[in-house]
Amino acid sequence: MSEELKVNEEIQEEELLEETDEEQAGPIINTFDEEEKIDESKGIKKFFKNIGKKIGAFFKLIARKYNGSKFSKVVDVVLKYIGKFFYYLFYPVVLFKRKVYDKMSHAGQKVFVSILFLSPALLGFLIFYLYPLIMSLVYAFSTVSVETGKGIQVMFGQHQENGVWVKDFFYNFKELFTGATGMLPIKNPTSGAEEKISLFQALFQTAGTTILDTLVITIFSLLIAVMLNGNFKGRAFARAIFFLPVILNSEAIEAATESTEAIDSMLNSVGSNALTNIFDMKAFMTSIGIPGKLVTFLNGITSTIYSTISYAGVQILIFLAAIQSVPAHLYEAAKIEGATKYEEFWKITLPMVSPMILTVVVYTIVDSFLRSDLNEYIQQLAKNPMYGFHAAASWSYIIVSLLILGIALLVLKKVVFYYDEK
Amino acid sequence: MTKNNKKEPSKARIKYEQILADLRNPIKKAVRAQKISNKLGSLFRAIIIIGLSFVIIFPIFQQITLAFRHPQDVQNPLVIWIPEKWSILNFKIAFRLLKYEESLFNNIQVSLIAMLGQVTCSVLAGYALSRLKFKGSNIIFLLLLMTFIIPPQAVSVSRMLYFANFDIFGIVKLLNGGNTISLSGKRFVLYLMTFTGQGINSAIFIFLFRQFFRGVPVELEESAEIDGAGVFRTFWSVMLPNARGVMVTVALFSFVWQWNDVYYTSLLQLSSTDFTLLTMQLKNTAEWLPSLMKFYKLDALVDPEIRGNAMFTSLIANTAGFMMCLPLLIGYLFVQKLFVEGIERTGIVG
């Protein structure tokens, strides 16, 4: 408190001194006044200028009073001690930098920084990813239950039969593939009725749709990317529209509309279609009146076209970026040689973009597997005493997806062309 | 007149013959063919782009008109697109049910912090994996890619159990007197996960940054080194400013994905009555609409007949879904250029 009083006294003293300061700075202020006289017509501007000046003067005053005052000395000391505190707090780091890091070779420093930069990702990988992954592999071969107060109980390689623990490593898998637990309710795509099929069948079906989806989405997104890359009016607008699904594509919205769809299909009234088929173009296309057999054919495409577009957003972006990075001189040379757009696509764009096809295919396979009905039904196995079954089902599903990925990589290895290596 | 005609062909005749010659001229033929094919090509493109744009925009348009439809029109077969009675009653109800004013800010908070974490972690890892290579860094890259190829959603149960009974190799048990801790309901854990590269699709972002840094000319780095810049300095003042485009892209994607996320929110049970998030509120709204209406005392707004109608549920669910997307849509209008051009500037090649 006493210090503050002293500071106040000093401020009063310096207020007296200030007048003399202004006199010293007199000529400069005068020139400003002249300028102001010219500006007089604009009243509002002048008003704000005055306010700005006053604020500026206020801060100048504070700064002038602060510099060299006792209060500033106190602050300096405090800051010095805070600095010292942090210095000693991080002293090990400083010591490490001086004693170890600075003495490393440049290559050594690079390795050290590399590990430092990678450490968060590695830590997360170990703690949040690898451990649960291994545990799920263990769960796949064991009976898992959660009891309150006891935590997770894992009986590795055993299962209970009539109250007796029996040893059988592959019990979960056997039960899933042959027993009643593995019967999954899956919607028949043609009739819409629910059917029970075995996990084996479901895996086979999902693998088929995944391969088909991947083919369609990859080709579709490449074509769209080529189209969007061309020079035409409203290109920016078209691009903005095509990436909308990336933003609007939300599981939550799908879930919200799905849960109501179930109720509506029971009611099966006129209005319900218009309400729930918001994300489905099928109803709209049929109502437009496309005749005869075309409808059945188009229905197949149109009912999936929205989902295809909405799942292809990221892929279109990847391809677009890849096409943009193709050197322009290649196209120029092709133009001089008289190549058509068609030839340009097959001879330049496709080979140059081919490394990205790999990325897109991997992304699409994983994505469509995650979106599949099978995944949803596997999630339904996640009930308390069934955790083992769930783990086994998801691992068989992972293995199938890895198999598809492997085949895709093998096929694409022959197609992919690396420009740098040539 | 007739004689003249025979000797000197009329202007029309000359023109006709010129056209014939032009038609037979092979060079002009080729030029013409290309012109026609170009025109046809652009027509084809226009048709496809306009058609697909329509497919994309139509549901949004329909969603908007549905949102403005009065609940009493819900079963009116005459109303398909444009509502007979305009009203904002749906918005009012959805606003209350979503706890919009709270959940919006919560969503923004979570998405922003997650975005920061994703960008920080993936830019560091991407740089280390592309430019600061050492023996085994390729293996690390493969391991990180594995998090995408075997997505955590696939092994969700073991993850769920693990998070509910968290214990790092027995350390937590030791410190906590033999008890594991539950991570559910702790936002801090989500932030920690994003900062350690376990957010949504973090592996893709790391991949993107790695591809980008690989494409930056080596000379840039070497000249910085010759000028005496250390490893940190080179990264901070030479490489990072160059990566601005990719950073924007990654930031936007992580923001949007976090905003729409259901998996992590339900895994960590982030959304609770104290801290509501839009996605979970939307899901709850769709599932428990009648009881929620009673709970929030909104029954008086709608006739009991309509309240029980399934179509009313889907109407409100649609409106709520639209409201969830609205901030993203509005934001997209402003950053749409960044979004598209950002990824072009990434210059990712093989």
Side-chain angles (χ1 to χ4, degrees):
Chain A
M1 281 299 284
S2 61
E3 272 179 6
E4 271 182 44
L5 282 173
K6 276 180 191 172
V7 170
N8 276 335
E9 280 173 18
E10 276 194 8
I11 288 170
Q12 282 172 356
E13 279 175 21
E14 286 199 17
E15 263 174 34
L16 294 170
L17 285 169
E18 192 203 349
E19 286 171 16
T20 52
D21 276 324
E22 266 183 34
E23 276 170 27
Q24 280 172 353
I28 301 165
I29 286 170
N30 275 341
T31 54
F32 269 113
D33 281 342
E34 274 171 36
E35 273 178 28
E36 264 182 289
K37 271 169 197 166
I38 299 161
D39 272 357
E40 248 176 45
S41 55
K42 297 160 189 172
I44 299 165
K45 246 189 182 177
K46 193 190 161 194
F47 174 71
F48 279 112
K49 251 188 184 174
N50 272 336
I51 285 178
K53 249 185 177 180
K54 269 173 191 165
I55 291 169
F58 177 71
F59 277 114
K60 258 186 200 168
L61 189 79
I62 288 174
R64 209 181 289 149
K65 278 177 184 167
Y66 174 76
N67 280 339
S69 69
K70 271 186 187 174
F71 181 64
S72 79
K73 278 168 198 164
V74 173
V75 169
D76 282 350
V77 170
V78 169
L79 279 178
K80 200 176 153 192
Y81 276 107
I82 289 173
K84 262 194 177 170
F85 172 73
F86 274 105
Y87 179 77
Y88 283 114
L89 191 71
F90 290 105
Y91 193 68
V93 180
V94 176
L95 206 68
F96 179 81
K97 190 186 178 293
R98 275 192 205 148
K99 288 273 155 77
V100 185
Y101 182 75
D102 286 349
K103 282 177 186 170
M104 282 179 187
S105 66
H106 191 70
Q109 281 183 358
K110 268 189 174 178
V111 172
F112 172 75
V113 174
S114 180
I115 292 168
L116 193 71
F117 279 7
L118 281 172
S119 56
L122 277 177
L123 208 69
F125 177 79
L126 286 178
I127 296 174
F128 294 119
Y129 182 78
L130 194 63
Y131 188 75
L133 191 76
I134 292 168
M135 283 324 284
S136 88
L137 199 58
V138 172
Y139 292 169
F141 296 102
S142 45
T143 306
V144 185
S145 58
V146 176
E147 282 167 45
T148 44
K150 283 183 182 174
I152 316 164
Q153 291 199 316
V154 185
M155 299 299 283
F156 185 66
Q158 296 181 55
H159 72 276
Q160 215 165 15
E161 239 169 58
N162 305 325
V164 186
W165 290 99
V166 183
K167 248 197 178 174
D168 187 357
F169 275 99
F170 295 99
Y171 172 75
N172 288 341
F173 288 96
K174 277 179 201 165
E175 186 63 29
L176 275 175
F177 282 106
T178 56
T181 342
M183 299 304 274
L184 302 166
I186 280 200
K187 229 183 217 173
N188 193 326
T190 46
S191 65
E194 284 212 342
E195 286 175 4
K196 285 223 162 186
I197 57 169
S198 73
L199 182 69
F200 189 73
Q201 258 178 308
L203 277 174
F204 209 71
Q205 272 185 16
T206 313
T209 48
T210 299
I211 290 168
L212 203 71
D213 268 8
T214 310
L215 268 177
V216 169
I217 287 178
T218 309
I219 292 168
F220 176 82
S221 54
L222 181 59
L223 286 180
I224 295 295
V226 169
M227 276 181 190
L228 287 178
N229 187 49
N231 232 337
F232 58 91
K233 256 186 189 175
R235 186 173 70 158
F237 186 65
R239 283 183 184 182
I241 288 173
F242 270 77
F243 302 129
L244 264 179
V246 177
I247 283 172
L248 301 181
N249 200 351
S250 171
E251 265 179 72
I253 292 173
E254 269 170 39
T257 44
E258 249 172 42
S259 66
T260 55
E261 203 172 1
I263 311 163
D264 279 20
S265 64
M266 282 199 310
L267 284 168
N268 202 18
S269 62
V270 188
S272 70
N273 270 337
L275 275 174
T276 50
N277 285 358
I278 277 176
F279 291 96
D280 190 9
M281 280 303 294
K282 191 173 149 191
F284 176 73
M285 291 304 259
T286 43
S287 72
I288 261 181
I290 298 160
K293 285 178 185 173
L294 254 179
V295 175
T296 47
F297 174 70
L298 279 176
N299 259 356
I301 302 170
T302 50
S303 63
T304 54
I305 200 161
Y306 184 77
S307 62
T308 308
I309 293 175
S310 55
Y311 298 160
V314 175
Q315 289 89 325
I316 293 173
L317 274 176
I318 291 172
F319 274 136
L320 199 57
I323 291 171
Q324 295 273 328
S325 64
V326 176
H329 64 81
L330 291 179
Y331 288 113
E332 280 161 21
K335 222 172 224 173
I336 290 164
E337 300 283 341
T340 58
K341 290 263 153 129
Y342 183 74
E343 283 167 332
E344 269 181 16
F345 173 76
W346 286 105
K347 298 271 159 76
I348 300 172
T349 312
L350 193 62
M352 293 299 286
V353 167
S354 64
M356 275 297 128
I357 292 178
L358 206 78
T359 318
V360 164
V361 164
V362 171
Y363 181 87
T364 317
I365 289 174
V366 173
D367 203 40
S368 68
F369 240 92
L370 275 184
R371 285 181 209 279
S372 65
D373 288 345
L374 179 63
N375 190 28
E376 229 169 85
Y377 290 118
I378 288 177
Q379 299 313 327
Q380 285 176 12
L381 280 175
K383 291 166 204 155
N384 190 1
M386 310 256 282
Y387 292 132
F389 290 115
H390 176 271
S394 37
W395 268 96
S396 41
Y397 153 97
I398 288 168
I399 286 164
V400 170
S401 89
L402 285 181
L403 269 179
I404 296 174
L405 268 176
I407 293 167
L409 289 184
L410 275 182
V411 171
L412 283 170
K413 219 180 180 183
K414 286 179 184 169
V415 185
V416 171
F417 161 85
Y418 288 100
Y419 186 60
D420 309 335
E421 286 174 12
K422 207 184 159 191
Chain B
M1 286 289 281
T2 48
K3 269 183 187 177
N4 274 348
N5 250 352
K6 270 182 185 174
K7 277 176 187 173
E8 274 182 36
S10 70
K11 274 182 186 173
R13 180 84 193 167
I14 292 168
K15 224 175 186 179
Y16 171 70
E17 251 153 38
Q18 254 180 3
I19 288 168
L20 264 187
D22 276 1
L23 276 172
R24 280 169 197 148
N25 190 338
I27 297 168
K28 285 192 176 173
K29 233 182 193 174
V31 169
R32 219 166 29 241
Q34 196 151 22
K35 259 187 188 170
I36 289 170
S37 77
N38 277 356
K39 282 230 166 116
L40 275 178
S42 52
L43 186 73
F44 178 68
R45 182 173 60 198
I47 288 170
I48 294 233
I49 285 178
I50 289 169
L52 290 179
S53 306
F54 176 73
V55 170
I56 294 166
I57 288 185
F58 178 74
I60 300 167
F61 166 74
Q62 207 178 28
Q63 210 176 12
I64 293 170
T65 58
L66 265 179
F68 282 108
R69 186 191 287 206
H70 195 274
Q72 276 174 352
D73 278 352
V74 90
Q75 227 165 5
N76 190 347
L78 292 173
V79 181
I80 295 169
W81 284 359
I82 294 156
E84 209 169 39
K85 258 190 191 171
W86 293 81
S87 88
I88 53 163
L89 192 60
N90 293 331
F91 283 102
K92 271 184 190 165
I93 294 168
F95 192 91
R96 288 287 298 279
L97 291 182
L98 285 177
K99 282 193 173 178
Y100 199 64
E101 71 279 21
E102 282 175 46
S103 343
L104 184 69
F105 284 104
N106 293 343
N107 249 36
I108 290 173
Q109 184 202 331
V110 169
S111 299
L112 271 182
I113 297 177
M115 175 178 107
L116 198 72
Q118 295 261 43
V119 172
T120 315
C121 176
S122 52
V123 75
L124 290 179
Y127 182 67
L129 287 171
S130 60
R131 279 308 167 85
L132 306 172
K133 277 196 170 180
F134 58 94
K135 255 187 191 173
S137 62
N138 274 338
I139 296 169
I140 293 175
F141 178 58
L142 281 181
L143 285 179
L144 292 180
L145 270 192
M146 199 173 97
T147 61
F148 179 70
I149 289 168
I150 305 178
Q153 283 96 321
V155 288
S156 57
V157 158
S158 65
R159 219 183 194 201
M160 193 189 79
L161 291 179
Y162 174 62
F163 275 57
N165 307 281
F166 188 70
D167 188 10
I168 317 168
F169 310 117
I171 298 168
V172 176
K173 254 187 187 175
L174 227 128
L175 292 176
N176 204 23
N179 291 320
T180 54
I181 47 169
S182 168
L183 296 186
S184 60
K186 295 189 172 96
R187 253 167 292 147
F188 165 73
V189 178
L190 177 79
Y191 303 150
L192 192 70
M193 282 174 81
T194 57
F195 273 98
T196 53
Q198 292 298 315
I200 303 160
N201 291 344
S202 279
I204 291 181
F205 299 143
I206 292 174
F207 176 78
L208 260 179
F209 275 116
R210 180 176 170 268
Q211 292 303 82
F212 170 76
F213 283 124
R214 259 172 49 161
V216 176
V218 190
E219 289 83 6
L220 209 65
E221 219 174 4
E222 277 169 358
S223 61
E225 271 166 32
I226 288 164
D227 287 347
V231 184
F232 277 110
R233 189 63 193 243
T234 315
F235 172 67
W236 184 255
S237 21
V238 179
M239 301 304 264
L240 212 53
N242 273 312
R244 225 176 292 144
V246 203
M247 280 164 84
V248 168
T249 313
V250 168
L252 290 172
F253 266 104
S254 57
F255 186 88
V256 167
W257 280 339
Q258 185 60 51
W259 187 281
N260 288 335
D261 172 63
V262 175
Y263 171 69
Y264 283 87
T265 348
S266 47
L267 174 75
L268 293 168
Q269 293 168 358
L270 290 179
S271 186
S272 61
T273 43
D274 299 328
F275 190 85
T276 51
L277 285 173
L278 282 174
T279 43
M280 290 329 255
Q281 288 297 106
L282 173 61
K283 262 187 139 178
N284 289 344
T285 304
E287 274 172 45
W288 311 107
L289 184 71
S291 44
L292 276 176
M293 293 271 290
K294 218 172 248 170
F295 182 76
Y296 287 106
K297 287 166 190 160
L298 295 169
D299 279 355
L301 289 172
V302 192
D303 291 344
E305 247 178 72
I306 295 158
R307 218 185 304 138
N309 197 327
M311 257 79 75
F312 175 66
T313 313
S314 78
L315 192 66
I316 295 297
N318 274 313
T319 314
F322 177 66
M323 281 176 79
M324 191 189 107
C325 291
L326 196 63
L328 287 183
L329 271 177
I330 293 168
Y332 184 65
L333 284 182
F334 291 103
V335 297
Q336 159 271 115
K337 251 189 172 171
L338 279 179
F339 203 72
V340 179
E341 279 167 14
I343 195 136
E344 281 174 8
R345 269 186 268 117
T346 57
I348 38 170
V349 194

